Amino acid sequence: MKIEITVNGRKRQFDVEPNKLLLNLVRDELYLTGTKYGCGIGECGACTVHLDGEAVLACMVLAVDADGRQVDTIEGVAADGDLDPVQESYIEEGAIQCGFCTPGFIMTTKALLRENPSPTEGEIREYLKGNYCRCTGYVNIINAVQSAAKKLQT
Ligand code: FES
Ligand code: FES
């Protein structure tokens, strides 16, 4: 099937099998490997991207369902080489260890702060509950989200 998706602001055409996953499209055809293949069954959040601005699990979305829509991945977050405030905060707060989960966390955090610019700790934990991290224990991640929220409000 022929489809067209705007990926990180650039229109791209693809010829895909009907069962091709969006996750495999961005990783295998565009080499945007920042979006991680974790569980492949919608459980870990490592594959989170934005579809028309909403955080979605790319392992649970068919590429054909993204036809005519906008997909943003972690590679599109830094503007002209400048880190996004969310990325800066994750680094400053030590919210990254192995980094495997980080792209998914950052994409989910950006969606959260767009919907709710000043979330409570409880709201952060609830929104991020679909993203798993095996390394950090989550405390520094919560701190990073709170720090990013402050930065984005100033
Ligand atoms: S790889 Fe998609 S949720 Fe785990
Ligand atoms: S930093 Fe290693 S899984 Fe989160």
Side-chain angles (χ1 to χ4, degrees):
M1 299 175 73
K2 294 200 186 313
I3 60 173
E4 181 176 272
I5 305 174
T6 301
V7 183
N8 296 333
R10 188 169 156 205
K11 279 195 177 163
R12 313 291 298 247
Q13 285 84 32
F14 305 94
D15 195 355
V16 296
E17 296 295 321
N19 62 351
K20 179 100 173 170
L21 295 173
L22 180 59
L23 175 58
N24 293 331
L25 186 80
V26 298
R27 285 181 57 83
D28 301 344
E29 298 199 25
L30 295 175
Y31 305 109
L32 297 174
T33 54
T35 304
K36 300 302 183 209
Y37 195 127
C39 64
I41 54 170
E43 298 280 348
C44 74
C47 65
T48 305
V49 299
H50 291 180
L51 183 61
D52 289 340
E54 303 262 327
V56 297
L57 301 172
C59 72
M60 302 300 285
V61 175
L62 291 172
V64 292
D65 287 334
D67 185 26
R69 303 173 74 183
Q70 183 170 322
V71 171
D72 294 295
T73 71
I74 188 68
E75 288 85 354
V77 169
D80 299 325
D82 292 330
L83 291 181
D84 181 271
V86 174
Q87 293 173 305
E88 283 177 351
S89 294
Y90 269 70
I91 294 168
E92 288 162 4
E93 297 295 332
I96 303 167
Q97 287 187 31
C98 79
F100 190 86
C101 70
T102 310
F105 267 98
I106 287 174
M107 298 310 284
T108 305
T109 300
K110 285 181 65 64
L112 163 64
L113 296 180
R114 193 156 46 224
E115 281 176 33
N116 180 358
S118 189
T120 63
E121 179 179 338
E123 288 168 337
I124 295 169
R125 287 186 181 277
E126 175 66 22
Y127 203 94
L128 294 181
K129 71 183 179 190
N131 290 77
Y132 289 3
C133 176
R134 295 287 183 190
C135 305
T136 65
Y138 299 99
V139 172
N140 290 359
I141 290 175
I142 306 296
N143 292 343
V145 178
Q146 289 171 325
S147 164
K150 282 194 195 114
K151 280 185 197 198
L152 288 166
Q153 282 171 29
T154 55

